[in-house]
Amino acid sequence: MKQKLIFTNIVGPAIDDLVESLGAPQAVVVADTNTAHFVLPILQNDSKAVASAKVITIKSGDANKNLESLTDLWKQLSDYEATRSTVVINLGGGVVSDMGGFAAATFKRGMRCINVPTTVLAAVDASVGGKTGINFAGYKNQIGTFTEPDAAVISSIFFNTLPPQEIMSGYAEMLKHALLENQEILDKLLNYNPVYPLLDTAGLLPLIEYSIGVKARIVEADLTEKGIRKALNLGHTAGHAFESIAYRRRSPIAHGYAVAWGLVVALVMSHLELGFPSDTLHSFASYVRKNYGVFDITCDDYPAIVEAMRHDKKNVTADNITFTLLEAVGKPQIDCVVSPEQIGAALDIYRDLMGL
Amino acid sequence: MKQKLIFTNIVGPAIDDLVESLGAPQAVVVADTNTAHFVLPILQNDSKAVASAKVITIKSGDANKNLESLTDLWKQLSDYEATRSTVVINLGGGVVSDMGGFAAATFKRGMRCINVPTTVLAAVDASVGGKTGINFAGYKNQIGTFTEPDAAVISSIFFNTLPPQEIMSGYAEMLKHALLENQEILDKLLNYNPVYPLLDTAGLLPLIEYSIGVKARIVEADLTEKGIRKALNLGHTAGHAFESIAYRRRSPIAHGYAVAWGLVVALVMSHLELGFPSDTLHSFASYVRKNYGVFDITCDDYPAIVEAMRHDKKNVTADNITFTLLEAVGKPQIDCVVSPEQIGAALDIYRDLMGL
């Protein structure tokens, strides 16, 4: 793994050390409208590199992760006469690191890049692993690269002002990593809630560090997603389909919540197809139901769900819909072909478990 | 080196074998308006993969290697529902392989890619080494990646219809590779002319194969141009400056011709700064003068030439202009700092050697 991971709550000096060790003569901060307002001023006080950096602000929200914003980003890098040695510091959530990372990967064929995630989801997911890109022609992440940043600085100091839903959203990806790793860490996560009874970002940081370690090991084995990296897609096939159904109902759901519900569906399938233990399935489903609520579907939604799965680039091989499933906690199987009938059977049980 | 190099004049079957070995279910041919008209029909007869491929045609010429053409290319790949397994076959010169290669490197974070160069210049330069990209905001290749294609199929069958000037343009890059390699191959090239007294594409192919081997070894050692790959910039610092002067005079010169004259300047500097042997300098300069003619400059042009060198991203470190020079044939030194006064002295001698 090329990417350096630094876990610290003393963020400014950590950034300065990195910029110096990269030999970067200048820095450019990419922030979104929120982080430019709330987070940037803190770091400008704490880091010489950030204080003297040019700041490029992009509009927040996934809808702005598009070619127009990217072109503006490239243009500003050109006007600033950035070079290959200039370091891009992505300060924000996944939209910032995806698009800032893609700009850094492609401007003059590649600049230096550091991710400073400001959400739990970005910390455990987008900031590590080198997926960069933009949405294009109606498809998510249609254009992009696999380019690991030089480093990520992971801190919990930015999480104190996040809404609880945002933190739980990131926690769902941590649950996924635990399912891919071992029972002990899974039990720990299922006996904990980072926002109840009190927001506990200090307790969250070591769990995040562990969680990123799981992802980093998988990415190291398969950066360009030709094999085992697909394990990270666990829960996302059903999750993306739920997101797409919710979008059509005009009541979008948070990505992490969709993943939490999608993980329940994946564990049901894992139980049916590969004998995943039923007690773990039940304790997982009850944690999700209690802490994420339920995503409401009826059997009338099944055809649309199957159709959405068929249009997801990651899980279609020839004409088959494929899933990442688990034989047991820590034992993923990628590319499992599941028929529409089997998907329907799994959704039936999901509804039972969710009390629908 | 990831990239497979195939030298053959039986191009269609070679492409089919490659497409099969890549396990690509479908192919997309990227051609320009010229190659779509003159070359594509030949290959459609000879290759099943090309015959059944979707064809995307871009306008020929470096001025069209821009974001607008790229966006159209991405859009057509989306509409065609291309996947990561789809293979892009770039059929053309450097504009096609640079832009088609960049689209392939970034669509869905990376597709398969084969280059089929149709010019000598593209064969010995753009088709090998993984530089992809587009011009942006007035800068050449401002946006791009280092992404090696899966393979290049190099053939001389496309060269028979090229104008002699086009062939000599590619031959200049071969002279550069010979200077970086050894005296024996240099002597061979200096005692040969591929277009005089007769066009000799058959004699050219083994020389091209040798020349690509030189480049491939350098690229393998340093794909992302952090060190020794800069040796390939030999002759290009003065060459690019000449191109930019010619452009302002509204009488543009072919890239390869600019490189040939730029190589003479580089050898003069190499002689002055590093003791490059004067007899080799003289025989090289006389070959260039005889076969490429001369690029006419006076001392009034010197300030503009120095200024153009200063704006070339590849050869500026801090405030210094740097050159790749040669101690001797086969012994490059990168990052040689040369002052404006020394540049002027070298240009004086260039003018003497060219009879100006």
Side-chain angles (χ1 to χ4, degrees):
Chain A
M1 179 121 169
K2 172 197 149 202
Q3 180 174 4
K4 206 167 176 177
L5 297 172
I6 292 165
F7 297 88
T8 181
N9 279 336
I10 307 176
V11 180
I15 293 175
D16 286 346
D17 285 352
L18 278 171
V19 171
E20 200 186 318
S21 75
L22 291 171
Q26 50 187 0
V28 171
V29 170
V30 178
D32 66 23
T33 32
N34 292 326
T35 54
H37 189 73
F38 295 109
V39 183
L40 181 61
I42 304 170
L43 285 186
Q44 281 170 328
N45 264 332
D46 269 6
S47 154
K48 279 183 202 162
V50 173
S52 64
K54 174 184 169 60
V55 177
I56 300 179
T57 306
I58 59 181
K59 284 185 209 153
S60 62
D62 193 67
N64 294 304
K65 201 175 88 176
N66 59 23
L67 184 56
E68 194 189 336
S69 307
L70 173 68
T71 305
D72 180 59
L73 226 167
W74 278 337
K75 187 75 178 50
Q76 292 202 49
L77 289 171
S78 283
D79 291 346
Y80 184 61
E81 300 191 352
T83 71
R84 286 183 184 168
S85 319
T86 306
V87 60
V88 169
I89 300 171
N90 292 313
L91 183 66
V95 169
V96 168
S97 57
D98 284 7
M99 192 153 62
F102 186 57
T106 54
F107 187 79
K108 291 189 194 279
R109 300 201 180 99
M111 308 166 67
R112 309 292 193 156
C113 185
I114 299 172
N115 285 335
V116 183
T118 57
T119 68
V120 178
L121 185 59
V124 296
D125 193 17
S127 73
V128 176
K131 284 194 179 180
T132 76
I134 57 165
N135 306 324
F136 181 79
Y139 296 93
K140 287 192 62 121
N141 302 317
Q142 181 83 330
I143 305 298
T145 60
F146 292 102
T147 311
E148 286 191 89
D150 293 284
V153 180
I154 318 285
S155 147
S156 62
I157 59 164
F158 306 121
F159 304 157
N160 288 310
T161 55
L162 293 176
Q165 209 206 21
E166 183 76 45
I167 289 174
M168 290 309 290
S169 203
Y171 199 70
E173 295 283 351
M174 294 168 66
L175 289 169
K176 181 192 78 178
H177 292 155
L179 282 167
L180 292 170
E181 188 70 2
N182 67 45
Q183 192 72 47
E184 191 190 336
I185 182 74
L186 180 64
D187 288 342
K188 201 180 260 183
L189 293 193
L190 293 181
N191 286 303
Y192 177 73
N193 180 316
V195 297
Y196 182 85
L198 284 171
L199 178 65
D200 176 31
T201 56
L204 197 55
L205 194 59
L207 297 175
I208 288 176
E209 181 163 353
Y210 189 92
S211 190
I212 290 176
V214 174
K215 175 162 183 181
R217 281 191 295 280
I218 293 174
V219 168
E220 186 170 16
D222 175 30
L223 176 66
T224 57
E225 206 168 29
K226 294 200 164 48
I228 190 61
R229 185 167 184 167
K230 292 183 189 172
L232 293 171
N233 209 33
L234 184 71
H236 283 61
T237 306
H240 285 154
F242 288 170
E243 281 185 272
S244 128
I245 301 289
Y247 183 79
R248 268 186 260 171
R249 289 181 186 163
R250 293 170 196 276
S251 58
I253 53 183
H255 175 68
Y257 280 63
V259 169
W261 297 316
L263 285 169
V264 175
V265 175
L267 294 191
V268 171
M269 281 179 185
S270 298
H271 175 65
L272 295 176
E273 311 296 325
L274 303 176
F276 183 87
S278 119
D279 54 340
T280 311
L281 163 60
H282 278 88
S283 59
F284 191 89
S286 93
Y287 183 90
V288 168
R289 185 174 171 181
K290 184 172 158 206
N291 296 287
Y292 291 86
V294 301
F295 182 66
D296 197 356
I297 53 166
T298 72
C299 50
D300 293 343
D301 294 312
Y302 292 8
I305 290 171
V306 171
E307 204 41 41
M309 288 169 174
R310 219 184 269 290
H311 276 83
D312 192 336
K313 66 180 162 191
K314 281 203 198 150
N315 40 257
V316 176
T317 319
D319 265 352
N320 297 317
I321 301 174
T322 59
F323 287 75
T324 293
L325 299 178
L326 297 176
E327 280 176 63
V329 173
K331 293 201 167 161
Q333 279 201 9
I334 62 172
D335 293 332
C336 302
V337 174
V338 181
S339 71
E341 295 68 33
Q342 289 168 314
I343 294 168
L347 293 172
D348 285 342
I349 297 175
Y350 160 85
R351 285 163 60 212
D352 274 354
L353 289 167
M354 294 286 116
L356 293 169
Chain B
M1 177 120 169
K2 173 195 150 206
Q3 180 174 3
K4 206 168 175 174
L5 297 173
I6 293 165
F7 298 87
T8 180
N9 279 335
I10 307 176
V11 180
I15 292 175
D16 287 347
D17 285 353
L18 277 171
V19 171
E20 201 185 317
S21 76
L22 291 171
Q26 52 187 359
V28 171
V29 170
V30 178
D32 68 23
T33 32
N34 292 327
T35 55
H37 189 74
F38 295 108
V39 184
L40 182 61
I42 305 170
L43 285 186
Q44 281 171 329
N45 264 331
D46 270 8
S47 155
K48 281 184 202 162
V50 173
S52 64
K54 173 185 170 62
V55 177
I56 300 178
T57 307
I58 59 182
K59 284 185 210 152
S60 60
D62 192 67
N64 294 303
K65 202 176 86 176
N66 59 22
L67 183 56
E68 194 189 335
S69 307
L70 174 68
T71 305
D72 181 60
L73 225 167
W74 278 338
K75 187 73 178 49
Q76 292 203 50
L77 289 171
S78 283
D79 291 347
Y80 185 61
E81 301 192 351
T83 71
R84 285 182 185 170
S85 319
T86 306
V87 60
V88 169
I89 300 171
N90 292 314
L91 184 66
V95 169
V96 168
S97 57
D98 284 7
M99 192 154 61
F102 186 56
T106 53
F107 187 79
K108 292 191 193 278
R109 299 201 182 99
M111 307 167 68
R112 307 294 193 155
C113 186
I114 299 172
N115 286 335
V116 183
T118 58
T119 68
V120 178
L121 184 58
V124 297
D125 192 18
S127 74
V128 176
K131 285 194 179 180
T132 76
I134 56 166
N135 306 324
F136 181 80
Y139 296 92
K140 288 193 60 124
N141 303 316
Q142 179 84 328
I143 305 296
T145 60
F146 292 102
T147 310
E148 285 191 272
D150 293 284
V153 180
I154 317 287
S155 147
S156 62
I157 59 164
F158 307 121
F159 304 156
N160 288 310
T161 54
L162 293 175
Q165 207 205 21
E166 181 77 44
I167 289 174
M168 289 310 290
S169 204
Y171 199 70
E173 295 283 351
M174 294 167 65
L175 290 170
K176 180 191 78 178
H177 292 156
L179 283 168
L180 292 170
E181 188 69 2
N182 66 47
Q183 191 72 45
E184 190 190 338
I185 183 74
L186 180 64
D187 289 341
K188 200 180 261 183
L189 293 193
L190 293 182
N191 286 303
Y192 178 73
N193 180 316
V195 298
Y196 183 84
L198 285 171
L199 179 66
D200 176 29
T201 57
L204 197 55
L205 193 59
L207 296 176
I208 289 177
E209 181 163 352
Y210 189 93
S211 190
I212 290 177
V214 175
K215 174 161 185 183
R217 281 192 295 280
I218 292 173
V219 168
E220 186 170 15
D222 175 30
L223 177 65
T224 57
E225 207 169 28
K226 294 198 165 50
I228 190 61
R229 185 168 184 166
K230 292 183 190 173
L232 293 170
N233 208 33
L234 184 72
H236 282 62
T237 306
H240 285 154
F242 288 170
E243 282 184 274
S244 123
I245 300 290
Y247 183 79
R248 267 185 259 172
R249 290 180 187 165
R250 293 171 196 274
S251 58
I253 53 183
H255 174 69
Y257 281 62
V259 168
W261 297 314
L263 285 169
V264 175
V265 176
L267 294 191
V268 171
M269 281 180 186
S270 298
H271 174 66
L272 295 176
E273 312 295 326
L274 303 175
F276 183 86
S278 121
D279 55 340
T280 311
L281 163 60
H282 278 89
S283 57
F284 191 90
S286 95
Y287 183 90
V288 168
R289 186 175 170 182
K290 185 172 159 205
N291 296 287
Y292 291 85
V294 300
F295 183 66
D296 198 355
I297 53 167
T298 71
C299 51
D300 293 340
D301 294 311
Y302 292 7
I305 290 172
V306 170
E307 202 42 40
M309 289 169 172
R310 219 183 270 290
H311 275 84
D312 192 335
K313 64 180 164 192
K314 282 202 197 152
N315 39 259
V316 177
T317 319
D319 264 351
N320 297 317
I321 301 175
T322 60
F323 286 75
T324 294
L325 299 178
L326 296 175
E327 278 175 63
V329 173
K331 295 203 168 158
Q333 279 202 9
I334 62 171
D335 294 331
C336 302
V337 174
V338 181
S339 71
E341 294 67 33
Q342 289 168 313
I343 294 169
L347 293 173
D348 284 343
I349 297 176
Y350 160 85
R351 286 163 59 212
D352 273 354
L353 289 168
M354 294 286 117
L356 293 169

